[in-house]
Amino acid sequence: AGSEAPGPSQGTSVQEQAEDAAAAIAALGAPGAVAFGEGFGALVVLDLLLRRPGLLRAAVLADPPLYAFAPDATRALAEEHGRLQERVSAGGPRAGVEQWLGGRAGDDALGRALDSSAAFFADYAGLASLPVTRAQLRAVDCPVVVLTGPVSGVGELEAADALAELLPGARRASDGDRIAALRSLL
């Protein structure tokens, strides 16, 4: 709702994307919606839960990269960031996307990411842009499924476990079944 895709040297933030999502939900006349977010999108949905109580009635957070509560994931992410920088320096943005997503995404998803590497790096830059406390997470007042699957990275698994422990009444699912997770909230 009014924001543009970031330029090559710009990023985006979770809050910026959450404001756009909130505006879209309002424009559709759909308060009380059930939201699904994966990866960066999981942080966007989480921000809606934190800053817009009552806007959503439930949410699925798939592979949430909330690394602030996952110390081992933070170390692994720092190492991955170094490898990513090396690949971008050696082969350009597409090589960086391949480094990051290789083995974690199917061919179709990888192809889309390769074709829109600027958007990929905008999301990557936004991963650390959600300031959140344990107290804020404990105050979330709606059903949430925290979902991972067979191709989830170690960092996402650790972050999902930590998040599920902090969100009151959250259900942790590790089968990757998005449809079942959504159905359980309807």
Side-chain angles (χ1 to χ4, degrees):
S3 70
E4 297 178 12
S9 63
Q10 297 175 330
T12 187
S13 71
V14 170
Q15 293 86 358
E16 176 183 36
Q17 297 301 312
E19 288 304 314
D20 285 352
I25 291 168
L28 292 170
V34 175
F36 175 92
E38 182 173 4
F40 182 81
L43 298 181
V44 171
V45 172
L46 181 59
D47 190 53
L48 289 173
L49 294 173
L50 296 170
R51 292 189 310 119
R52 300 285 189 121
L55 182 66
L56 302 176
R57 70 177 169 95
V60 176
L61 307 175
D63 289 327
L66 192 62
Y67 301 127
F69 299 108
D72 290 337
T74 302
R75 283 186 287 281
L77 186 63
E79 292 169 7
E80 181 67 32
H81 182 77
R83 289 189 295 273
L84 181 64
Q85 283 182 309
E86 289 172 11
R87 288 292 298 270
V88 170
S89 293
R94 289 176 62 91
V97 171
E98 285 179 314
Q99 170 67 35
W100 182 258
L101 288 177
R104 291 190 240 188
D107 290 341
D108 290 342
L110 179 59
R112 285 190 305 275
L114 288 169
D115 290 341
S116 58
S117 59
F120 169 84
F121 284 107
D123 285 357
Y124 181 81
L127 287 176
S129 68
L130 179 63
V132 63
T133 66
R134 286 174 169 78
Q136 288 173 309
L137 292 171
R138 289 185 184 117
V140 170
D141 188 21
C142 71
V144 175
V145 175
V146 182
L147 179 66
T148 56
V151 296
S152 299
V154 173
E156 287 79 11
L157 293 169
E158 184 183 358
D161 289 342
L163 184 57
E165 285 183 27
L166 291 166
L167 293 169
R171 185 171 70 80
R172 179 74 171 86
S174 58
D175 59 7
D177 191 338
R178 298 167 178 169
I179 302 301
L182 285 166
R183 279 190 185 141
S184 73
L185 296 171
L186 299 176

